Amino acid sequence: MILDCDPGHDDALALLLAVGDPRVRLLGVTTVAGNQTLDKTTRNALKVLALAGVGGELPVAAGCDRPLVGQLVVAEDIHGASGLDGPELELPVGPVATVHAVELMRRLITGSPEPVTLVATGPLTNVALLLRCHPEVLPRVRRVVFMGGSTERGNTTPYGEFNVVTDPEAADIVLRSGLPTTMIGLNVTHRALATTEIIGEFRSMGTRLGAICADLMTFFAGTYRREFGFEHPPVHDPIAVAAVINPAVVETFAAPVSVELGGTHTRGATVVDLHGRTGRAPNADVAVSLDVQAFWRLLMTAVRALGAASTQPARR
Ligand code: BDR
Ligand code: CA
C-alpha cells in the first residue's frame, strides 16, 4: 500500500492504522495540500510516523502544493492552524524524500513485486498526476481506494465533500482511469463517530500514543461541534485503510460515478447513479454501509499495538 494523505486529524488515524496493522505492507507515504498547506501536511505526516515509532523507516515525499485547477482552500476551521491542532506534538521526525510524491509513487510501484494499492485520504491531485504522467504504472496498480465524495449531501458545499471539492479535476481523472476504484464517501464515514466512549478507550490504553489520539479527537470534536453542530466527530479517513485490510468492513455497490466539474452550485459533487438511470457502466465500487464495530476494532487494535511497542525498552 501507498498512503497519500493531508494530515489532518483523521488522516493521522489512517496512518496509524496502516502502520499498526500487520496485514498492511506500507511502502511509503506521500502528502498533498488539502487540510492545510503542503509544508504543514508533510510535517504532520512525519510527526505521526515518528509517534508510531517508524520515523525515518518509511519513505515520505511531499507532492502537489495546490489543486490541478483553481486555488487551494484549506480546512483550518476543522483541523486548526497546524492541520493537527490539539496535542503537543514536538518531537524529532524523519527526513522527507528529495523526490516529488509522484516520482516516489512511480518508483515504489515499479519496484514492487506485487501490484500496489493506492489509498488516498486527501484531494486526489498526486494520484491523478501519477496516472497522467506515468500511465505505464497503471497495470501495476491493484486499485485505488479513496476517501471522498458522497452518495448524499456534502460537507464543504451542500453537495460537495472536501477532498473532491478541493480538486474536482483530479477526482475526475481517477474515476475515468479505468482502474478498479473504491469510493469511501461521507454517506459511510458519518457513521464512524469518535464518541465519548471511543475517546475514553484511546485514553484508557495508558500509552502516550493513546493519549495523543484522545487529544486529537477531543480537538476534532470541538471543531465539528462548532462548525456542523455534530455531537461527535466523524472519523473519515481510516475507513479507506480499513476497507483494504478487511473488505467486509464496508459493503460496496458497483455504480457509475461522475464528478460535477461545472455546476453553478455543485462543482465538486459526486453524482452516484445508484439506480442505473444513466445506463452507463459502473466505474467505482461505492461504499454504501459500514460495519462500525469491526472498523473500530481494527483501529483500536492497531493503535494499542503501536502504543505498547513504543513504550517497550529499546532493543539492543
Ligand atoms: C475529508 O476532508 C478532510 O477534512 C478529512 O481529512 C477527510 O479526508 C472529509 O471530507
Ligand atoms: Ca484527509
Side-chain angles (χ1 to χ4, degrees):
M1 178 189 296
I2 297 172
L3 181 53
D4 186 68
C5 56
D6 64 337
H9 293 71
D10 50 335
D11 302 77
L13 295 186
L15 276 164
L16 294 176
L17 178 56
V19 172
D21 190 295
R23 290 161 286 189
V24 177
R25 200 156 65 85
L26 187 61
L27 301 176
V29 172
T30 51
T31 56
V32 66
N35 284 327
Q36 258 301 349
T37 52
L38 182 66
D39 55 333
K40 292 182 181 177
T41 59
T42 305
R43 178 124 192 105
N44 292 342
L46 294 170
K47 285 181 181 176
V48 175
L49 293 173
L51 268 175
V54 294
E57 288 176 25
L58 284 171
V60 179
C64 297
D65 64 359
R66 73 196 86 160
L68 296 180
V69 179
Q71 301 293 316
L72 175 70
V73 181
V74 300
E76 188 154 331
D77 52 344
I78 301 295
H79 298 276
S82 73
L84 209 48
D85 277 12
E88 186 51 56
L89 287 178
E90 273 323 312
L91 72 176
V93 297
V96 188
T98 50
V99 295
H100 190 278
V102 170
E103 175 57 13
L104 178 65
M105 287 198 259
R106 187 194 69 77
R107 290 184 191 179
L108 293 173
I109 295 168
T110 310
S112 169
E114 291 168 58
V116 173
T117 297
L118 295 178
V119 177
T121 61
L124 286 152
T125 323
N126 291 336
V127 179
L129 217 52
L130 171 75
L131 303 183
R132 277 293 162 92
C133 295
H134 302 293
E136 72 279 6
V137 304
L138 262 88
R140 306 198 52 77
V141 176
R142 190 188 300 275
R143 64 177 174 136
V144 178
V145 181
F146 75 95
M147 188 283 130
S150 176
T151 63
E152 298 162 358
R153 297 181 68 103
N155 60 0
T156 299
T157 64
Y159 283 94
E161 178 280 332
F162 178 78
N163 289 335
V164 180
V165 164
T166 299
D167 198 336
E169 281 73 18
D172 180 61
I173 288 171
V174 172
L175 281 160
R176 288 173 186 268
S177 67
L179 284 171
T181 299
T182 304
M183 174 177 130
I184 309 289
L186 297 177
N187 53 297
V188 289
T189 67
H190 278 183
R191 307 256 302 122
L193 302 173
T195 58
T196 315
E197 291 72 35
I198 290 290
I199 294 176
E201 195 173 334
F202 279 127
R203 209 172 286 291
S204 68
M205 287 177 187
T207 62
R208 177 168 181 238
L209 186 61
I212 286 173
C213 289
D215 290 348
L216 283 170
M217 289 302 106
T218 303
F219 179 89
F220 206 38
T223 59
Y224 256 91
R225 199 173 302 122
R226 187 188 66 220
E227 297 298 322
F228 293 108
F230 278 28
E231 202 182 341
H232 307 296
V235 178
H236 314 275
D237 292 337
I239 299 173
V241 177
V244 177
I245 297 170
N246 177 8
V249 164
V250 289
E251 187 191 337
T252 60
F253 183 83
V257 180
S258 322
V259 179
E260 177 59 72
L261 299 178
T264 310
H265 307 290
T266 52
R267 178 168 153 80
T270 44
V271 180
V272 183
D273 181 12
L274 288 174
H275 302 291
R277 304 308 302 166
T278 60
R280 289 179 39 225
N283 59 340
D285 292 318
V286 178
V288 290
S289 71
L290 174 72
D291 184 338
V292 178
Q293 284 191 355
F295 163 68
W296 283 117
R297 249 194 325 272
L298 274 184
L299 184 61
M300 290 298 176
T301 305
V303 173
R304 200 172 281 114
L306 284 174
S310 64
T311 51
Q312 271 169 15
R315 266 181 288 154
R316 287 174 178 259

